[in-house]
Amino acid sequence: MGEFAPFQGAALVCAVKGAVSIAGAVLIASEDKLRPSFLPCYSPKSSSFLVIESVPIPSASALNASSSSNHDNNAEGFRISDVIATLMNKLTKCGDVFDTILAVKSIEASGIFSIGKRAPLFKDLFKLTVLSELNRDTRVNIEGFNLVTEPNHPHSILSIPPSWTDATSQILEGIFLYFHKATKSLNILAPTAPKSPIICIIGSKGLGKSTLSKHTVNRLLSKYAQVAFLDCDLGQPEFTVSGQVSLHVLRDPILGPAFTHLKQPLQSCYLGATSPKNDPDWYISCIVELWRVYLAKVGRAVPLVINTDGWVKGMGFDLLVHALKQIRPSHVLQLGVDSMSSAAIAKNIRDDLAAILHTPDQPASQVQIMNAEGFDESLQRGGSKYNAQDLRSLAMISYFAQCNNVDSSARICITDAGYKCPPIWKFSSSIASRTPVSVPWNAVKLRFLSVEVPFSQSLVALNGTLVGMVEDSIPYETTKATSDSETEPTHLKIIPSGIQIPPQSQNCVGLGIVRGIDPVSKLFYIITPIPLEQLKRVNLILRGPGVEFPASFWTDGFENVRSTVPYITYTAAEGIGAIAKRPRSNLLRKKNI
């Protein structure tokens, strides 16, 4: 008990005996031996390696535990339960007594290991690098799963600060104290007991808010059947591509970085930027609307975790306070550094936050602010070499490679020993080779966010860009062409920038790339992984100026082509809309690809 093992790669993991903890989630051996439940775990080099730790079996049962299943299947060959039983017998004959035993199965068929094909920068993302081949552990022969046994491995290992565990434990203990008092006095059943906690995680960028958010969700899922997640971070969202605020309902632990578990939100608003600075009022309106959706569609019986962005100075602090006053969370986990540290002024939030939140009708005692230790992973030994832009690129590459509409983080109940995970990502083909969908001009409305585009330049501004695909319920008075000239695009329905789109009327179902525009047939050709049944409901396309393509998207598939690459020139950019791409210092030279 208490032993731990870091690992690199990805696999399906199931507790066969005892219990283990991974990133705050506790996996307990299932009583159903015929259909053991496996959870996908992803531990790439873009983040600290996950750690599997043997822990005591929790004594308290879940309030309303339920098991979801991503793919159920019937055994056609050897039952996996028989294979596990055989392996258990071999361990027993060895004479050793183990508190915890795990079953690990390859997840290679999901396609995640091939992500480097689409971006050379990430080609070794799931490949273990050891200081010496003599230190490589060859006892585990599972494709893509490697135990990290070197004591001084150069990559960082995920280590949860004690203050995080203490804070989440205090919240969970408070839930059960309140729950016990309420049920004892009212004599009612558990599901109708008190309201669940609303936990908001705040702090400057680089202190571990996303990691703490996932840790908190995983801890709550040990007590609740589902947890709601409100993602307010435009730059580094946890379950969507950058540029959106979204609401999710989670039923399974989150064991991996953001690009491995992108999901379809319950509700989402597309802002098309990585920061709310261009339209802060719209940003707050979207957050408040998602809060209302949580109350209406999810309900206070389900706990809510709120992940915020790292802008906590100046206008960013004002936006944070405004959101907190609107939502009034029960707990605020505030990440910071030691007040005596040289980084305290830049990293820590103002000390008077509790006083600012106090109002006569809503006393500050209703919001419990809990301080937790923040850490900067980039400063740790062996921290990730990937910056924020690289992580956004990873998420976008993963998003457009999705296939089969499969939840990549949902638990899987397996009966067949020969079972292989169905394809979740398809990295074998480039973006340019994907078949686009054709969308008639008159079937959708267009809106350019935060900028005013001349009507005659609308198609130029839209072609070859990333757009939000939105369901919208309000009719608008759109701009019409005022000239019969052939240079003027007709049949376009453009919403003027002066008209504000109410957040309650829209739901972003996903993103698309405008691959091309046919002005003769009046069609948009859009590449998107959105299922066709959802795509049919899209009637609004939003073009935001703040979310960039990964550099690999523009050149993917043209590495060995001598002709001109579409939308890109190596000479001086000229003409309306021409702009130099943002300088990048980590792009590989062609000879190194």
Side-chain angles (χ1 to χ4, degrees):
M1 199 67 64
E3 294 183 342
F4 63 91
F7 74 95
Q8 187 270 345
L12 299 172
V13 177
C14 171
V16 177
K17 179 183 177 182
V20 295
S21 173
I22 306 176
V26 178
L27 283 62
I28 305 173
S30 174
E31 295 181 358
D32 187 354
K33 303 300 182 183
L34 296 179
R35 296 175 67 249
S37 177
F38 287 75
L39 273 174
C41 298
Y42 305 91
S43 183
K45 293 180 180 177
S46 59
S47 57
S48 297
F49 290 158
L50 294 179
V51 177
I52 302 174
E53 182 179 3
S54 175
V55 296
I57 298 177
S59 57
S61 60
L63 287 177
N64 187 20
S66 65
S67 176
S68 62
S69 178
N70 197 357
H71 330 286
D72 202 356
N73 54 92
N74 297 318
E76 296 178 356
F78 292 104
R79 286 187 174 275
I80 195 168
S81 56
D82 296 335
V83 175
I84 292 175
T86 301
L87 295 175
M88 292 279 285
N89 289 334
K90 290 183 178 180
L91 287 175
T92 304
K93 292 179 181 179
C94 293
D96 295 329
V97 178
F98 299 95
D99 294 319
T100 305
I101 299 176
L102 293 180
V104 180
K105 192 168 177 58
S106 174
I107 200 172
E108 182 184 12
S110 69
I112 190 63
F113 299 143
S114 301
I115 192 170
K117 292 182 178 180
R118 302 279 61 87
L121 180 64
F122 308 119
K123 65 180 180 180
D124 293 330
L125 203 60
F126 288 92
K127 183 179 180 182
L128 179 65
T129 303
V130 294
L131 295 174
S132 171
E133 286 298 324
L134 296 176
N135 296 330
R136 188 181 296 275
D137 192 336
T138 58
R139 293 171 297 175
V140 179
N141 187 23
I142 300 174
E143 186 67 31
F145 179 83
N146 302 282
L147 291 177
V148 180
T149 57
E150 290 181 311
N152 296 314
H153 192 274
H155 196 82
S156 61
I157 307 299
L158 180 62
S159 177
I160 302 299
S163 60
W164 293 16
T165 305
D166 294 343
T168 51
S169 296
Q170 185 177 340
I171 293 173
L172 291 175
E173 289 171 4
I175 293 170
F176 280 95
L177 286 173
Y178 180 33
F179 166 76
H180 175 72
K181 292 179 181 178
T183 52
K184 185 176 181 180
S185 59
L186 299 177
N187 194 24
I188 56 179
L189 296 177
T192 59
K195 294 179 180 178
S196 298
I198 298 175
I199 306 167
C200 185
I201 296 167
I202 64 175
S204 183
K205 62 180 181 180
L207 292 182
K209 291 188 303 300
S210 295
T211 305
L212 177 55
S213 297
K214 289 182 286 189
H215 177 79
T216 304
V217 167
N218 292 342
R219 291 292 303 273
L220 287 171
L221 282 172
S222 67
K223 307 299 180 184
Y224 291 88
Q226 53 187 7
V227 175
F229 191 93
L230 176 54
D231 203 336
C232 305
D233 191 347
L234 289 173
Q236 298 287 340
E238 191 60 40
F239 300 105
T240 64
V241 179
S242 300
Q244 302 174 67
V245 290
S246 55
L247 177 66
H248 304 260
V249 177
L250 310 174
R251 295 175 177 83
D252 294 298
I254 305 303
L255 305 176
F259 77 93
T260 64
H261 51 244
L262 301 178
K263 299 177 182 295
Q264 179 64 41
L266 176 65
Q267 190 86 6
S268 174
C269 297
Y270 185 72
L271 287 83
T274 57
S275 170
K277 63 182 180 181
N278 290 332
D279 200 343
D281 293 336
W282 172 244
Y283 172 73
I284 289 295
S285 298
C286 292
I287 291 176
V288 172
E289 175 57 25
L290 294 178
W291 162 248
R292 291 172 181 161
V293 172
Y294 161 76
L295 294 175
K297 295 185 178 181
V298 182
R300 288 290 282 108
V302 177
L304 174 66
V305 175
I306 305 171
N307 182 37
T308 60
D309 62 11
W311 190 18
V312 296
K313 301 295 182 181
M315 184 193 297
F317 180 77
D318 296 336
L319 292 175
L320 175 62
V321 170
H322 194 96
L324 291 175
K325 285 186 175 181
Q326 291 287 331
I327 297 176
R328 304 298 299 182
S330 60
H331 301 81
V332 173
L333 298 185
Q334 179 176 313
L335 290 173
V337 298
D338 192 321
S339 58
M340 301 302 293
S341 169
S342 59
I345 296 177
K347 291 287 187 179
N348 288 352
I349 298 176
R350 288 166 49 175
D351 296 332
D352 58 349
L353 178 62
I356 293 174
L357 294 178
H358 173 78
T359 56
D361 58 326
Q362 294 178 316
S365 59
Q366 293 182 4
V367 180
Q368 183 179 356
I369 299 179
M370 310 170 71
N371 293 316
E373 174 188 355
F375 68 93
D376 191 345
E377 185 177 291
S378 63
L379 299 179
Q380 294 183 345
R381 179 183 62 83
S384 173
K385 67 177 181 179
Y386 303 106
N387 57 33
Q389 181 61 39
D390 295 330
L391 299 181
R392 284 193 283 268
S393 298
L394 261 177
M396 195 171 295
I397 293 170
S398 173
Y399 175 77
F400 281 100
Q402 288 177 325
C403 60
N404 295 334
N405 196 27
V406 174
D407 187 348
S408 59
S409 63
R411 68 178 71 244
I412 306 172
C413 293
I414 300 176
T415 55
D416 189 355
Y419 169 82
K420 290 185 178 181
C421 176
I424 301 175
W425 295 274
K426 185 180 180 181
F427 296 109
S428 57
S429 59
S430 65
I431 291 292
S433 66
R434 308 281 172 84
T435 303
V437 295
S438 58
V439 180
W441 290 5
N442 59 8
V444 293
K445 303 179 288 289
L446 304 177
R447 171 69 186 274
F448 295 96
L449 301 173
S450 305
V451 293
E452 188 70 44
V453 177
F455 193 88
S456 60
Q457 299 298 314
S458 300
L459 297 183
V460 178
L462 199 63
N463 197 22
T465 63
L466 183 75
V467 294
M469 313 292 285
V470 177
E471 297 179 61
D472 187 57
S473 59
I474 295 181
Y476 302 91
E477 185 176 341
T478 55
T479 303
K480 301 292 184 181
T482 57
S483 171
D484 294 331
S485 170
E486 292 183 358
T487 61
E488 292 281 354
T490 58
H491 300 281
L492 288 180
K493 298 187 290 185
I494 301 179
I495 302 174
S497 59
I499 298 178
Q500 187 65 272
I501 303 176
Q504 60 268 23
S505 72
Q506 66 155 297
N507 178 31
C508 180
V509 300
L511 303 183
I513 298 173
V514 181
R515 177 70 173 83
I517 300 176
D518 187 347
V520 178
S521 302
K522 296 178 173 50
L523 294 172
F524 297 117
Y525 292 100
I526 300 178
I527 297 173
T528 179
I530 302 173
L532 186 58
E533 59 271 15
Q534 287 184 312
L535 200 59
K536 290 178 180 178
R537 302 195 296 268
V538 171
N539 58 359
L540 173 63
I541 293 178
L542 298 179
R543 164 74 170 104
V547 181
E548 285 192 0
F549 279 98
S552 61
F553 270 33
W554 301 95
T555 58
D556 191 15
F558 293 92
E559 292 84 359
N560 299 318
V561 177
R562 294 182 178 272
S563 59
T564 303
V565 178
Y567 308 112
I568 289 181
T569 178
Y570 295 98
T571 60
E574 299 178 353
I576 297 176
I579 188 172
K581 291 290 291 178
R582 180 180 298 176
R584 300 291 303 282
S585 60
N586 58 357
L587 296 180
L588 299 179
R589 294 183 180 274
K590 189 173 182 179
K591 65 180 181 179
N592 296 328
I593 296 178

